[in-house]
PDB file of all heavy atoms in Angstrom:
ATOM      1  N   PHE A 237     100.870  70.267 102.672  1.00 77.00           N
ATOM      2  CA  PHE A 237     100.110  71.409 103.183  1.00 77.00           C
ATOM      3  C   PHE A 237      98.878  70.937 103.950  1.00 77.00           C
ATOM      4  O   PHE A 237      98.569  71.450 105.033  1.00 77.00           O
ATOM      5  CB  PHE A 237      99.663  72.312 102.035  1.00 77.00           C
ATOM      6  CG  PHE A 237      98.635  73.327 102.450  1.00 77.00           C
ATOM      7  CD1 PHE A 237      99.001  74.493 103.106  1.00 77.00           C
ATOM      8  CD2 PHE A 237      97.279  73.109 102.196  1.00 77.00           C
ATOM      9  CE1 PHE A 237      98.052  75.421 103.510  1.00 77.00           C
ATOM     10  CE2 PHE A 237      96.324  74.028 102.598  1.00 77.00           C
ATOM     11  CZ  PHE A 237      96.712  75.189 103.244  1.00 77.00           C
ATOM     12  N   VAL A 283      84.524  77.344  96.699  1.00 72.00           N
ATOM     13  CA  VAL A 283      85.829  76.776  96.390  1.00 72.00           C
ATOM     14  C   VAL A 283      85.691  75.502  95.562  1.00 72.00           C
ATOM     15  O   VAL A 283      86.438  75.273  94.608  1.00 72.00           O
ATOM     16  CB  VAL A 283      86.606  76.489  97.694  1.00 72.00           C
ATOM     17  CG1 VAL A 283      87.820  75.634  97.423  1.00 72.00           C
ATOM     18  CG2 VAL A 283      87.027  77.794  98.351  1.00 72.00           C
ATOM     19  N   PHE A 287      87.353  75.682  91.739  1.00 69.00           N
ATOM     20  CA  PHE A 287      88.588  75.002  91.374  1.00 69.00           C
ATOM     21  C   PHE A 287      88.597  74.528  89.926  1.00 69.00           C
ATOM     22  O   PHE A 287      89.515  74.856  89.161  1.00 69.00           O
ATOM     23  CB  PHE A 287      88.856  73.846  92.347  1.00 69.00           C
ATOM     24  CG  PHE A 287      90.114  73.075  92.037  1.00 69.00           C
ATOM     25  CD1 PHE A 287      91.282  73.727  91.701  1.00 69.00           C
ATOM     26  CD2 PHE A 287      90.116  71.689  92.065  1.00 69.00           C
ATOM     27  CE1 PHE A 287      92.451  73.030  91.408  1.00 69.00           C
ATOM     28  CE2 PHE A 287      91.269  70.978  91.780  1.00 69.00           C
ATOM     29  CZ  PHE A 287      92.431  71.648  91.449  1.00 69.00           C
ATOM     30  N   VAL A 358      89.767  83.416 103.877  1.00 93.00           N
ATOM     31  CA  VAL A 358      91.060  82.734 103.834  1.00 93.00           C
ATOM     32  C   VAL A 358      90.930  81.345 103.211  1.00 93.00           C
ATOM     33  O   VAL A 358      91.834  80.876 102.506  1.00 93.00           O
ATOM     34  CB  VAL A 358      91.676  82.648 105.247  1.00 93.00           C
ATOM     35  CG1 VAL A 358      92.945  81.806 105.239  1.00 93.00           C
ATOM     36  CG2 VAL A 358      91.984  84.053 105.773  1.00 93.00           C
ATOM     37  N   THR A 359      89.805  80.689 103.435  1.00 88.00           N
ATOM     38  CA  THR A 359      89.585  79.351 102.861  1.00 88.00           C
ATOM     39  C   THR A 359      89.667  79.363 101.345  1.00 88.00           C
ATOM     40  O   THR A 359      90.070  78.370 100.728  1.00 88.00           O
ATOM     41  CB  THR A 359      88.204  78.816 103.301  1.00 88.00           C
ATOM     42  OG1 THR A 359      88.188  78.687 104.723  1.00 88.00           O
ATOM     43  CG2 THR A 359      87.908  77.464 102.682  1.00 88.00           C
ATOM     44  N   THR A 360      89.311  80.492 100.715  1.00 90.00           N
ATOM     45  CA  THR A 360      89.315  80.558  99.251  1.00 90.00           C
ATOM     46  C   THR A 360      90.724  80.646  98.662  1.00 90.00           C
ATOM     47  O   THR A 360      90.900  80.466  97.459  1.00 90.00           O
ATOM     48  CB  THR A 360      88.521  81.777  98.755  1.00 90.00           C
ATOM     49  OG1 THR A 360      89.201  82.990  99.141  1.00 90.00           O
ATOM     50  CG2 THR A 360      87.118  81.788  99.333  1.00 90.00           C
ATOM     51  N   LEU A 361      91.728  80.933  99.495  1.00 92.00           N
ATOM     52  CA  LEU A 361      93.075  81.126  98.965  1.00 92.00           C
ATOM     53  C   LEU A 361      93.641  79.839  98.379  1.00 92.00           C
ATOM     54  O   LEU A 361      94.444  79.863  97.445  1.00 92.00           O
ATOM     55  CB  LEU A 361      94.005  81.643 100.071  1.00 92.00           C
ATOM     56  CG  LEU A 361      93.586  82.955 100.748  1.00 92.00           C
ATOM     57  CD1 LEU A 361      94.606  83.352 101.808  1.00 92.00           C
ATOM     58  CD2 LEU A 361      93.419  84.065  99.721  1.00 92.00           C
ATOM     59  N   GLY A 362      93.213  78.717  98.912  1.00 87.00           N
ATOM     60  CA  GLY A 362      93.719  77.445  98.416  1.00 87.00           C
ATOM     61  C   GLY A 362      93.424  77.222  96.947  1.00 87.00           C
ATOM     62  O   GLY A 362      94.213  76.580  96.240  1.00 87.00           O
ATOM     63  N   VAL A 363      92.296  77.751  96.457  1.00 85.00           N
ATOM     64  CA  VAL A 363      91.955  77.550  95.057  1.00 85.00           C
ATOM     65  C   VAL A 363      92.944  78.264  94.138  1.00 85.00           C
ATOM     66  O   VAL A 363      93.182  77.833  93.002  1.00 85.00           O
ATOM     67  CB  VAL A 363      90.504  78.015  94.778  1.00 85.00           C
ATOM     68  CG1 VAL A 363      90.397  79.522  94.685  1.00 85.00           C
ATOM     69  CG2 VAL A 363      89.965  77.383  93.507  1.00 85.00           C
ATOM     70  N   ILE A 364      93.541  79.353  94.621  1.00 89.00           N
ATOM     71  CA  ILE A 364      94.549  80.055  93.818  1.00 89.00           C
ATOM     72  C   ILE A 364      95.793  79.185  93.671  1.00 89.00           C
ATOM     73  O   ILE A 364      96.326  78.996  92.570  1.00 89.00           O
ATOM     74  CB  ILE A 364      94.907  81.410  94.460  1.00 89.00           C
ATOM     75  CG1 ILE A 364      93.680  82.331  94.493  1.00 89.00           C
ATOM     76  CG2 ILE A 364      96.062  82.077  93.704  1.00 89.00           C
ATOM     77  CD1 ILE A 364      93.913  83.651  95.197  1.00 89.00           C
ATOM     78  N   TYR A 365      96.266  78.642  94.802  1.00 89.00           N
ATOM     79  CA  TYR A 365      97.467  77.802  94.758  1.00 89.00           C
ATOM     80  C   TYR A 365      97.255  76.548  93.913  1.00 89.00           C
ATOM     81  O   TYR A 365      98.110  76.171  93.109  1.00 89.00           O
ATOM     82  CB  TYR A 365      97.861  77.384  96.177  1.00 89.00           C
ATOM     83  CG  TYR A 365      98.299  78.520  97.068  1.00 89.00           C
ATOM     84  CD1 TYR A 365      97.505  78.937  98.140  1.00 89.00           C
ATOM     85  CD2 TYR A 365      99.506  79.173  96.867  1.00 89.00           C
ATOM     86  CE1 TYR A 365      97.901  79.973  98.974  1.00 89.00           C
ATOM     87  CE2 TYR A 365      99.906  80.219  97.705  1.00 89.00           C
ATOM     88  CZ  TYR A 365      99.096  80.606  98.750  1.00 89.00           C
ATOM     89  OH  TYR A 365      99.495  81.636  99.579  1.00 89.00           O
ATOM     90  N   THR A 366      96.132  75.875  94.109  1.00 83.00           N
ATOM     91  CA  THR A 366      95.913  74.609  93.397  1.00 83.00           C
ATOM     92  C   THR A 366      95.638  74.835  91.919  1.00 83.00           C
ATOM     93  O   THR A 366      96.094  74.072  91.072  1.00 83.00           O
ATOM     94  CB  THR A 366      94.756  73.826  94.042  1.00 83.00           C
ATOM     95  OG1 THR A 366      93.610  74.684  94.200  1.00 83.00           O
ATOM     96  CG2 THR A 366      95.150  73.298  95.404  1.00 83.00           C
ATOM     97  N   ALA A 367      94.878  75.884  91.586  1.00 84.00           N
ATOM     98  CA  ALA A 367      94.601  76.158  90.177  1.00 84.00           C
ATOM     99  C   ALA A 367      95.863  76.599  89.445  1.00 84.00           C
ATOM    100  O   ALA A 367      96.091  76.234  88.290  1.00 84.00           O
ATOM    101  CB  ALA A 367      93.525  77.234  90.051  1.00 84.00           C
ATOM    102  N   MET A 374     102.009  77.140  98.763  1.00 88.00           N
ATOM    103  CA  MET A 374     100.957  76.879  99.735  1.00 88.00           C
ATOM    104  C   MET A 374     101.505  76.117 100.938  1.00 88.00           C
ATOM    105  O   MET A 374     101.120  76.366 102.078  1.00 88.00           O
ATOM    106  CB  MET A 374      99.825  76.076  99.075  1.00 88.00           C
ATOM    107  CG  MET A 374      98.624  75.862  99.976  1.00 88.00           C
ATOM    108  SD  MET A 374      97.150  75.303  99.090  1.00 88.00           S
ATOM    109  CE  MET A 374      97.685  73.690  98.540  1.00 88.00           C
ATOM    110  N   ALA A 419      98.964  84.960  98.589  1.00 95.00           N
ATOM    111  CA  ALA A 419      98.140  84.292  97.574  1.00 95.00           C
ATOM    112  C   ALA A 419      97.673  85.255  96.490  1.00 95.00           C
ATOM    113  O   ALA A 419      97.762  84.957  95.291  1.00 95.00           O
ATOM    114  CB  ALA A 419      96.937  83.634  98.243  1.00 95.00           C
TER     115      ALA A 419
END
Side-chain angles (χ1 to χ4, degrees):
F237 167 80
V283 168
F287 179 44
V358 174
T359 298
T360 67
L361 302 181
V363 77
I364 297 176
Y365 294 110
T366 50
M374 185 165 66

